[in-house]
Amino acid sequence: KIANTLARATQANIDMVESINLFNVAMGEYAEVTNKALEHTEKFTGLDLTNLQNRAGTFNLLARSMGIADDQSAKLSENMTRLSIDLASLTNVSVNQAAQDLRSGLVGQSETMYKYGVDVTEAALKQEALNQGITKSVRQMSQGEKMALRYAVTIRQTALSHGDFARNIETPANQLKILSERFVTLTRTIGSVFIPMLTRLLPYVNAVVIVL
């Protein structure tokens, strides 16, 4: 059991390194400024920084793949990462689940967003476009333009949830979320002790396996 626990801790540290790499690659030139914003979020909420980076990086990759400009996708990823925290607090789901649902909503999976009271159907996008003075038909828009509308709709329709985590940070549900994330941080810290040993050992193990 001890060996399994240490193995999980080591794997958690390895995953942390990969998450940081994903964040830096995805954010590009906006990595530093976004990371400072996420560090502020970590300090204020007590959530794990690497998890925040992973969510932001994933949002950014999704937005860029849809053709949204780098500066806009960086802002989108930062805001959606924070929104996932507030939605998780308001609806009592995990932050990971909220982030996953928001990503689904951004690509048009409207049913996923209904439980948060958000409508990202084509009809809602048409109305949002009219509100912004856009006359172009939604059906003629690019995927990036549609995602931008879904993002705007999501931010507007979740207004009641904005800041919910901060307002209810002392509740047992949110304190448990923080505790869970702190255990993740602790596990990764323990795992970091074994990374140098693995770095030296694994090339030899691989060589032996290749020879065999």
Side-chain angles (χ1 to χ4, degrees), residues 59 63 68 72-80 106 147 151:
F59 276 121
I68 295 181
Q72 295 174 338
S73 61
K75 196 63 180 176
L76 178 150
S77 63
E78 180 184 331
N79 288 337
M80 295 303 273
L106 286 175
M147 176 176 281
Y151 167 64

Side-chain angles (χ1 to χ4, degrees), residues 179-204:
L179 180 62
S180 175
E181 297 256 327
R182 289 297 90 189
F183 270 120
V184 170
T185 304
L186 175 61
T187 300
R188 287 170 175 161
T189 303
I190 294 172
S192 66
V193 176
F194 300 93
I195 294 300
M197 179 180 65
L198 279 177
T199 302
R200 293 191 297 269
L201 181 61
L202 284 176
Y204 296 101

